[in-house]
Amino acid sequence: MTKKARHKRGLLVVISGPSGVGKSTVVRRLLKKNPDLSLSVSMTTRQPRPGEMSGEHYHFVERDEFDRLVKNGDLLEWAKVHGSYYGTPRSYVEKELARGGVVILEVDVQGAASIKRSVEGAALKAAVVFVFLIPPSVDILAFRLKKRKTEDQEVMNYRLRAAIAELQVMEKYDYIVVNDKVESAADKIRAIINVEKERTLLN
Ligand code: ADP
Ligand code: 5GP
């Protein structure tokens, strides 16, 4: 296989980390600055937050529709997160990778583990890099979750406890990025993508 043909495999960039660490904020900034990257828009059964648009932030679906997608094998991975279901549409990701694109997935730690299993079991044949976003400190994470004001106190406390537990899995990832400033976290992820794109040419 020529190097050029190998490069056509594209690159899947899995960005994960605890709830409230700033994944969607950093990913939005990354995409705004880098129009060559494409975002996989997830399916979810959760209710839209104010300002969220179906097809842009998520594809908002009912539970029976989500179950149908799972049953048909239409999701590359899926997980129940904080009481709602989330999943990555398979066809979009496969199409983008086939044309050699760089696809960003923003998923919880279960989703990232599931993608890793698919790659290791060769069910997913793609170049994949796993990036874990961490907060500068747990106090800052608590502050950011509070600031977002999308959950009530009880849900927020639960999410914070879950987030602290989720930080334990970070050594399983290829890269750990501290989300200090949104701009610099996005720049660090761009740098990782540039290096990994070169690596896919060599492997
Ligand atoms: P996640 O997608 O990981 O759950 P969000 O992107 O919703 O997290 O971010 C949680 C809150 O933290 C939001 O209010 C967001 O504006 C804020 N935030 C994200 N990144 C930063 C940062 N680097 N500095 C300050 N606030 C941030
Ligand atoms: P939120 O409800 O705050 O938008 O997202 C809750 C969690 O679900 C976040 O950690 C987010 O990264 C994760 N998530 C979003 N889309 C997906 C997906 O397609 N699959 C998985 N496994 N998790 C997702």
Side-chain angles (χ1 to χ4, degrees), residues 18-25 144 147-148 179-182:
S19 180
V21 72
K23 296 183 293 297
S24 40
T25 307
R144 286 182 188 167
K147 194 180 75 173
R148 195 169 67 184
N179 179 18
D180 36 20
K181 297 255 184 302
V182 177

Side-chain angles (χ1 to χ4, degrees), residues 40-185:
S40 163
V41 177
S42 299
M43 319 294 302
T44 185
T45 62
R46 105 155 145 65
Q47 291 300 308
R49 292 178 186 140
E52 282 185 335
M53 314 262 287
S54 198
E56 190 183 322
H57 297 89
Y58 283 105
H59 299 288
F60 295 98
V61 293
E62 297 297 328
R63 177 68 197 277
D64 56 353
E65 167 71 354
F66 193 92
D67 288 346
R68 195 184 59 75
L69 293 168
V70 171
K71 206 163 142 218
N72 288 349
D74 291 339
L75 301 179
L76 198 55
E77 63 72 40
W78 62 274
K80 188 177 183 186
V81 189
H82 308 314
S84 300
Y85 290 85
Y86 297 81
T88 303
R90 181 187 296 279
S91 62
Y92 175 80
V93 173
E94 289 183 347
K95 202 172 72 207
E96 284 297 307
L97 291 177
R99 65 160 198 89
V102 177
V103 187
I104 311 290
L105 291 194
E106 187 228 303
V107 295
D108 85 311
V109 295
Q110 304 172 79
S114 166
I115 297 280
K116 193 156 200 186
R117 281 195 299 276
S118 300
V119 173
E120 284 167 359
L124 178 62
K125 293 186 183 66
V128 188
V129 60
F130 294 89
V131 178
F132 197 76
L133 211 57
I134 59 168
S137 70
V138 170
D139 285 351
I140 290 179
L141 178 63
F143 175 76
R144 286 182 188 167
L145 266 176
K146 211 180 230 165
K147 194 180 75 173
R148 195 169 67 184
K149 293 196 186 90
T150 49
E151 286 87 21
D152 62 28
Q153 188 66 37
E154 196 187 330
V155 173
M156 214 201 73
N157 287 341
Y158 166 77
R159 283 199 174 207
L160 187 59
R161 280 197 301 278
I164 292 166
E166 281 168 3
L167 284 170
Q168 312 308 316
V169 302
M170 67 176 138
E171 74 268 21
K172 298 206 171 105
Y173 286 69
D174 299 315
Y175 296 91
I176 294 168
V177 169
V178 180
N179 179 18
D180 36 20
K181 297 255 184 302
V182 177
E183 188 80 19
S184 74

